[in-house]
Amino acid sequence: MELFADLQTGISRNETELRRSSKSSKRDIEASQKRLLAVEDKYQLDSRGAFPFPDDLRIDNTHLAPRVVAEQFAAHFGLTKGSEAGGPLSSPN
């Protein structure tokens, strides 16, 4: 599975309180932005569709809510809510 978003969205998300509180590398917003821009210039940050696995899933989450992304993931991999196995999601197989 691959999630990707455009560069401006990545920069904006790195500035959110949730991201900064969850990831120490994001707490210094200016340094985090500089790192992201430097890495963006030097490396290819997504597969661009050349993912080496047969059942791959790529989701552009630039304009999608987390719930929508989770629903797409679950649908793609045949997962359902609730299970007798005790997890929040399970495969029907």
Side-chain angles (χ1 to χ4, degrees):
M1 161 148 196
E2 178 180 9
L3 298 176
F4 64 97
D6 64 40
L7 179 60
Q8 187 55 49
T9 299
I11 290 170
S12 296
R13 289 177 180 169
N14 280 348
E15 295 175 356
T16 66
E17 183 59 35
L18 177 61
R19 186 75 55 106
R20 289 185 292 134
S21 67
S22 299
K23 299 182 176 191
S24 61
S25 65
K26 308 297 182 197
R27 292 189 183 130
D28 181 338
I29 294 172
E30 187 177 328
S32 174
Q33 183 173 344
K34 284 181 182 178
R35 277 191 306 275
L36 180 58
L37 293 172
V39 168
E40 175 76 19
D41 284 342
K42 189 173 182 178
Y43 301 105
Q44 177 181 321
L45 298 180
D46 67 73
S47 72
R48 297 189 180 127
F51 210 61
F53 302 103
D55 193 26
D56 70 326
L57 173 63
R58 293 183 79 236
I59 299 176
D60 179 350
N61 66 358
T62 301
H63 303 289
L64 298 178
R67 178 186 267 312
V68 173
V69 173
E71 289 168 352
Q72 289 180 9
F73 174 86
H76 180 83
F77 291 105
L79 302 174
T80 59
K81 289 185 178 182
S83 77
E84 293 181 25
L89 291 175
S90 66
S91 175
N93 299 331

